[in-house]
Amino acid sequence: MYSIKELAEKTKKLEVLYVEDDFEVQQQTARLFKKFFPSLKTCDNGLEAWEYFQEKQPTILITDLKMPLMDGKKLIENVKGFDSNVTCIVLSGLSSENKSDLQADFILGKPTSLESIKEVLNKIVE
């Protein structure tokens, strides 16, 4: 397992899109993600994220599920339909029963911890 410093070095060039409709949660979590992804792009809803994704095609999508205009499940379906190689991470407070039919590669509970993020990033960079 890589250290935080090693992970930051391995992930610094990845293009990452983070989608969260709760501004306070978005700001707090984005600060944590920027340790690993300096070029992190944030969006406030699924529709905005889908439009950005089609234009920039980032390699990782991190999304909430319950959002206005387009929910995270539909966003992931669109992204995977466009490019099945994109790594999709759900960051949600919903129970595990609600997540069973998602096309996500990883699912993290909200609030998430640095340890959970490190675990997922280690799997991604391997």
Side-chain angles (χ1 to χ4, degrees):
M1 188 175 254
Y2 295 107
S3 69
I4 291 176
K5 187 176 180 179
E6 291 168 325
L7 277 174
E9 184 62 32
K10 290 184 173 293
T11 59
K12 70 181 181 184
K13 293 184 180 176
L14 294 175
E15 296 291 326
V16 179
L17 174 59
Y18 171 48
V19 193
E20 170 62 61
D21 62 318
D22 182 315
F23 182 76
E24 190 173 310
V25 171
Q26 182 191 92
Q27 295 302 302
Q28 290 173 348
T29 307
R31 276 194 295 275
L32 181 60
F33 287 148
K34 284 187 178 183
K35 293 178 190 300
F36 302 102
F37 314 117
S39 63
L40 181 76
K41 165 67 175 165
T42 59
C43 289
D44 300 327
N45 63 68
L47 184 58
E48 177 187 351
W50 175 232
E51 290 169 356
Y52 178 85
F53 180 85
Q54 291 174 89
E55 183 180 327
K56 300 292 185 177
Q57 299 173 17
T59 53
I60 297 176
L61 168 70
I62 304 170
T63 185
D64 188 11
L65 288 177
K66 290 187 77 175
M67 298 181 294
L69 305 180
M70 180 186 296
D71 67 15
K73 181 179 178 186
K74 180 65 176 168
L75 176 60
I76 292 170
E77 288 173 6
N78 288 353
V79 165
K80 288 291 193 176
F82 189 88
D83 182 350
S84 62
N85 294 317
V86 174
T87 299
C88 293
I89 303 169
V90 167
L91 186 60
S92 178
L94 295 180
S95 67
S96 59
E97 304 87 60
N98 298 351
K99 300 173 188 172
S100 61
D101 60 343
L102 295 173
Q103 296 180 34
D105 299 290
F106 300 98
I107 299 172
L108 295 173
K110 197 178 356 174
T112 193
S113 67
L114 180 57
E115 285 304 312
S116 296
I117 293 169
K118 278 178 48 183
E119 188 176 313
V120 167
L121 292 179
N122 270 288
K123 291 176 183 174
I124 290 171
V125 299
E126 286 179 346

